[in-house]
């Protein structure tokens, strides 16, 4: 059971498609995060939002575009992805920016054909 | 980039055995966290450590924040089948949260 909900749970898309991942947190937190989890690699931070403002962007390619319309919702818009972008994308939230602990969603398993 | 060295990478143990895993870093951290990830799910926080030397338990789990602030270990006593999963350490400092590569635990009955 989690206070952070991600949809869809699985997504298969072609390299020319446009899709979006959604994250919703029901914990009243003010900070939200996107992570990429690839096999046998540590979790990689992609984006951080605090009070709906982006506060960190870790050199992520522009084919990934985040959006945070309010403190409860976070989106990751995907466009023209590459096969190496196939991974588990995890959303997390915390009370304030970089406050610990972070609470994770169950992720979206993304496969790029 | 910064890395946490987590070991072992994987463990295959029999039910009832104790388990120990650790994380080391060349950098100092203010907080150490231990997460568990079950297949098809996101990481779930097990234990958070906020002070050097701190020893904290959560049921059969015990974790310690190393006195040098550069390492942490997690022990699981009397393992059971539901302990199966991937365990991640994470070190937090200011605006950085660095994850280890994980320890995959298999428990056989």
């Amino acid at each position: 059971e989690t206070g952070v909900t991600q949809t869809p749970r699985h997504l298969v898309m072609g390299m020319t498609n446009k899709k979006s991942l959604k994250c919703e947190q029901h914990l009243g937190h003010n900070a939200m995060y996107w992570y990429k989890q690839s096999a046998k690699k540590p979790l990689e931070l992609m984006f951080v939002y605090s009070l709906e403002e982006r506060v960190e962007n870790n050199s992520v390619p522009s084919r990934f575009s985040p959006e945070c319309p309010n403190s409860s919702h976070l989106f990751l818009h995907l466009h023209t992805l590459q096969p190496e972008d196939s991974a588990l994308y995890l959303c997390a939230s915390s009370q304030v920016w970089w406050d610990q602990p972070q609470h994770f969603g169950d992720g979206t398993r993304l496969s790029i054909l | 980039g910064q890395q946490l060295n987590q070991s072992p990478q994987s463990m295959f143990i029999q039910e009832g055995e104790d388990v120990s895993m650790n994380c080391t870093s060349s950098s100092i951290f203010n907080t150490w966290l231990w997460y568990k990830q079950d297949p098809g799910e996101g990481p779930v926080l097990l234990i958070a450590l906020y002070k050097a030397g701190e020893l904290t338990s959560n049921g059969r789990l015990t974790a310690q924040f190393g006195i040098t602030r550069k390492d942490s270990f997690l022990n699981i006593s009397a393992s059971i089948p539901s302990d199966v999963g991937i365990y991640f350490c994470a070190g937090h400092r200011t605006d950085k949260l660095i994850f280890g590569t994980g320890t995959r635990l298999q428990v056989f009955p």
Side-chain angles (χ1 to χ4, degrees):
Chain A
E1 188 175 335
T2 176
V4 180
T5 305
Q6 289 187 244
T7 55
R9 293 297 311 275
H10 302 273
L11 179 62
V12 180
M13 57 187 285
M15 289 191 284
T16 58
N17 291 157
K18 289 184 182 180
K19 295 286 184 183
S20 296
L21 309 185
K22 180 182 176 182
C23 176
E24 183 176 358
Q25 58 96 0
H26 316 277
L27 301 168
H29 289 169
N30 292 316
M32 297 185 77
Y33 311 79
W34 278 118
Y35 286 90
K36 178 184 179 183
Q37 187 176 35
S38 304
K40 301 192 177 180
K41 291 176 70 174
L43 277 163
E44 301 171 57
L45 179 68
M46 300 176 71
F47 301 103
V48 182
Y49 274 83
S50 176
L51 297 171
E52 299 122 60
E53 286 194 20
R54 191 189 309 182
V55 294
E56 190 155 334
N57 173 358
N58 271 8
S59 302
V60 178
S62 60
R63 58 186 184 267
F64 295 92
S65 174
E67 179 190 0
C68 187
N70 56 64
S71 59
S72 298
H73 292 85
L74 185 65
F75 294 90
L76 188 62
H77 304 300
L78 315 173
H79 175 51
T80 321
L81 295 193
Q82 304 299 308
E84 62 265 27
D85 298 323
S86 297
L88 181 69
Y89 289 84
L90 289 162
C91 173
S93 71
S94 63
Q95 187 62 51
V96 295
W97 180 31
W98 286 122
D99 182 36
Q100 298 307 322
Q102 294 180 15
H103 297 261
F104 285 85
D106 287 336
T108 295
R109 174 69 62 185
L110 177 64
S111 298
I112 306 300
L113 301 179
Chain B
Q2 273 186 354
Q3 282 190 327
L4 293 184
N5 299 311
Q6 186 171 349
S7 65
Q9 285 189 344
S10 59
M11 302 182 74
F12 299 85
I13 64 169
Q14 200 151 23
E15 184 178 356
E17 289 184 5
D18 296 343
V19 172
S20 185
M21 60 191 78
N22 68 81
C23 268
T24 61
S25 172
S26 57
S27 302
I28 289 172
F29 290 101
N30 297 324
T31 303
W32 281 95
L33 306 165
W34 285 93
Y35 287 88
K36 183 193 177 196
Q37 188 172 21
D38 291 328
E41 298 184 14
V44 174
L45 182 71
L46 298 174
I47 292 179
L49 302 157
Y50 298 102
K51 190 175 173 183
E54 179 181 352
L55 184 71
T56 298
S57 293
N58 178 7
R60 295 177 295 106
L61 276 61
T62 302
Q64 184 157 31
F65 191 143
I67 199 72
T68 64
R69 297 167 63 193
K70 293 182 179 181
D71 61 350
S72 178
F73 73 75
L74 175 71
N75 285 345
I76 305 173
S77 63
S79 58
I80 59 178
S82 63
D83 290 333
V84 165
I86 303 176
Y87 293 79
F88 292 96
C89 63
H92 178 251
R93 181 183 68 246
T94 316
D95 59 348
K96 295 279 184 212
L97 183 65
I98 313 294
F99 285 85
T101 50
T103 295
R104 185 180 295 273
L105 179 63
Q106 290 278 12
V107 179
F108 296 101

